[in-house]
Amino acid sequence: MKKNVLLSAVAIFTLAMTASCGGGNGQAADNATPAEVIEQADTTVEQAVDRFLVDSIANRYGSGKINIPQVKIIDRQQNGDTVKVLGDFWVFNYDIAGDTLKCVSGGHHAGMLIVSNEGGAYRVTGFDPVTDGNTFEPSAKRIFGDKYGRFHAIYSDSDAREALRDSLTAAYVKAHNLPVKCYQDYGWPARPL
């Protein structure tokens, strides 16, 4: 039990620390020195997944100054330097208004990410997403295979998803010393951190 709590705390801290490298958008600053760019290389699969969600998914939505990915890994399958990551992935983009993170956009992107180890640094090299609409279930069954039941249970548990969002958002705020006390989705009451 203590090991699971410790692993969860490490995962939350890692997500919070890596969700927004380079000033909030997951990209290296234009004026970064070579040493800073090297330090920003993703040394874990989780960091590569976070960076992909921030750099390649979050920017498809309305802009927000703060991008926080939410990752729930269902399964990992490693074959040499390639890792298939099956997961339930979310991105949330926020602006700060007073003491509140105001969610301006975001969305759900479940599926399989292909993560490759290239010289000690990981990066996402492919994404097979679950599709929307009437093809959602067939595409999810195809992607998750015998892990579909686990995916469906996680995807359907809105209480657990909100609890994870609460903890990841709080960890991000703390790690980045943001002057906020809550976050809020449009049309909903603010949730305290």
Side-chain angles (χ1 to χ4, degrees), residues 64 66 68 91-106 162 165-166 169-170 173 180-193:
I66 295 169
I68 302 177
V91 293
F92 298 97
N93 299 322
Y94 299 93
D95 285 331
I96 296 176
D99 67 353
T100 304
L101 281 176
K102 297 276 191 174
C103 188
V104 295
S105 62
E162 285 303 311
R165 184 178 178 194
D166 290 346
T169 305
V173 165
V180 298
K181 297 178 181 172
C182 53
Y183 74 91
Q184 184 176 25
D185 291 334
Y186 182 78
W188 290 89
R191 292 178 65 98
L193 297 173

Side-chain angles (χ1 to χ4, degrees), residues 76-98:
R76 293 167 59 134
Q77 304 162 358
Q78 185 154 355
N79 184 4
D81 287 338
T82 302
V83 182
K84 292 180 180 178
V85 179
L86 301 172
D88 193 42
F89 311 116
W90 289 79
V91 293
F92 298 97
N93 299 322
Y94 299 93
D95 285 331
I96 296 176

Side-chain angles (χ1 to χ4, degrees), residues 6 23 44 55 62 69 108 121 150 167 193:
L6 178 61
T44 69
D55 290 352
H108 180 240
R150 185 160 182 237
S167 65
L193 297 173

Side-chain angles (χ1 to χ4, degrees), residues 129-145 148:
V130 172
T131 57
D132 290 331
N134 62 0
T135 59
F136 178 87
E137 186 175 353
S139 67
K141 286 182 175 180
R142 175 184 58 78
I143 291 167
F144 289 97
Y148 174 77

